[in-house]
Amino acid sequence: MVGYLPSRPPCKQGVSLSKHTSLGVGGAADIFFTPQTLRELRDEMEWLQSRNIPFNILGGGTNVACRDKTFKGAIINTKVLNRAWHEGLRIKALSGCSLAMLVKRCCELGLSGLEPLVGIPGTIGGAVIMNAGGRHGNIGLLVEEVRALSPEGEERVYARPADRFGYRKGDFNGDIITEVVLKLKVESPSVVRKRVCTIMREKFAVQPLSARSAGCVFKNPQGESAGRLIDRCGLKGRCAGGMKISPVHANFIINESGGSFENFMELAGMAQDRVRENFGVEMEYEIKVF
Ligand code: EPU
């Protein structure tokens, strides 16, 4: 346990990461910061750097699997940095802004572009780092500017960062995203809403969106679907403790009843092994493990 801690309210000790992740697993974090302002975020990062304390950023916690043992270091949770502004075709959002809230706001404002992101939980910061999206498009296509802090606390601006985005990846040199500017198109609110409803209905039919999960576990291998490969290995419905390979979509592992990190990794490892044995394909994790 780290000895001295700042006494300000956003800092807590021993917070269980299982309560801050959609998968519902994870041990306690030595230090858990919830900065209320960008200034506080910078101060906290400087404080951690000056003491050589390792840290990880947690947005919505919807794409992560955290180990059951204590996280030796600090977690910085961005969820309170959640303000957003709208000006013409642009939306500027702090990194902790909920993606679902932004999609909803775009429907009301008659701004088109974010529809493919409907049904994806989490924050805009996490979505940018993962280049979240799907068949209908990825968030990288809409990003006009990213503001970030280097791990040393230096402010950086990435203008027109289109070439930094790849498949499920936004490359910002390990910096911590603080603000994102999205550029959208004008469209009638009813058209945007209709498109959102269609995509949502599509996803609900083929993904276990109401179960506890971390979304797709593996990236799709080139030209293939990880879900289809795992399915073809006959693994749908396979359980380990309280975790289960979703019977709806095999690239989702769902926490049905108090499953642990170990249970999760057992199923993920099994899927990886079987797919390698049967198809000679190496699947890479999409989720982040820490
Ligand atoms: N399939 C199966 N069995 C399964 C799952 C899928 O046979 O268990 C088949 C489907 O029938 C379909 C094909 O595989 O013919 C592709 O499946 P799907 O349309 O569900 O898309 P996906 O490639 O599995 C990707 C993204 C999803 C995104 C959807 C829809 C990745 C790893 N997955 O899934 O993103 O929502 O397209 O656009 O890129 C995520 O990244 O967390 C995620 C869920």
Side-chain angles (χ1 to χ4, degrees):
M1 192 64 84
V2 180
Y4 167 77
L5 285 171
S7 55
R8 285 172 297 132
C11 177
K12 289 188 180 160
Q13 276 180 281
V15 171
S16 172
L17 296 180
S18 65
K19 305 251 181 319
H20 292 272
T21 55
S22 56
L23 186 61
V25 298
D30 267 352
I31 305 175
F32 193 87
F33 278 123
T34 311
Q36 312 287 303
T37 62
L38 292 178
R39 174 82 222 201
E40 269 185 20
L41 170 66
R42 201 173 50 223
D43 290 351
E44 284 157 9
M45 280 170 53
E46 271 170 18
W47 186 85
L48 292 165
Q49 286 286 345
S50 67
R51 285 160 181 81
N52 274 327
I53 300 172
F55 62 90
N56 260 329
I57 303 289
L58 189 69
T62 55
N63 209 47
V64 294
C66 301
R67 293 187 168 82
D68 290 326
K69 59 182 190 197
T70 300
F71 179 79
K72 295 275 168 218
I75 295 291
I76 300 182
N77 187 3
T78 58
K79 72 173 182 197
V80 177
L81 302 173
N82 61 4
R83 290 191 62 197
W85 299 262
H86 154 239
E87 205 182 296
L89 297 178
R90 289 174 179 79
I91 286 193
K92 179 163 111 179
L94 296 188
S95 61
C97 220
S98 134
L99 206 49
M101 187 280 284
L102 289 174
V103 172
K104 182 164 173 274
R105 197 77 189 100
C106 281
C107 283
E108 292 160 1
L109 292 167
L111 290 174
S112 171
L114 269 184
E115 300 91 309
L117 281 297
V118 68
I120 300 180
T123 61
I124 185 82
V128 165
I129 286 292
M130 295 303 298
N131 193 14
R135 169 175 338 124
H136 301 280
N138 302 319
I139 193 145
L141 297 167
L142 308 169
V143 177
E144 192 174 65
E145 184 180 288
V146 168
R147 286 178 179 259
L149 287 175
S150 73
E152 293 74 37
E154 195 184 309
E155 287 184 43
R156 300 237 173 93
V157 179
Y158 295 91
R160 307 199 186 285
D163 55 353
R164 295 187 170 272
F165 292 102
Y167 171 58
R168 293 295 177 274
K169 190 173 162 45
D171 182 3
F172 293 92
N173 304 314
D175 290 353
I176 287 94
I177 310 278
T178 52
E179 278 176 43
V180 177
V181 178
L182 302 174
K183 188 171 177 209
L184 302 132
K185 291 195 181 93
V186 175
E187 183 81 90
S188 109
S190 64
V191 172
V192 181
R193 194 168 298 115
K194 205 166 156 208
R195 214 175 282 133
V196 160
C197 290
T198 307
I199 296 176
M200 194 60 187
R201 221 175 300 122
E202 238 177 58
K203 285 194 184 170
F204 252 107
V206 293
Q207 296 182 4
L209 294 186
S210 43
R212 298 205 79 157
S213 84
C216 282
V217 178
F218 297 102
K219 294 181 183 177
N220 280 342
Q222 186 88 43
E224 248 305 351
S225 154
R228 179 166 37 213
L229 293 174
I230 302 167
D231 189 0
R232 285 177 62 198
C233 293
L235 291 176
K236 268 187 172 169
R238 184 63 66 98
C239 294
M243 293 284 179
K244 187 189 235 177
I245 297 188
S246 166
V248 179
H249 192 299
N251 199 12
F252 286 69
I253 295 179
I254 58 176
N255 191 351
E256 279 210 316
S257 55
S260 65
F261 175 79
E262 297 303 327
N263 299 152
F264 177 86
M265 291 311 285
E266 185 183 331
L267 291 176
M270 187 189 296
Q272 224 175 9
D273 290 348
R274 294 288 167 80
V275 166
R276 189 186 307 112
E277 286 155 22
N278 290 326
F279 306 108
V281 173
E282 194 60 47
M283 291 193 302
E284 206 185 307
Y285 279 96
E286 173 179 321
I287 54 152
K288 306 260 186 239
V289 175
F290 59 80

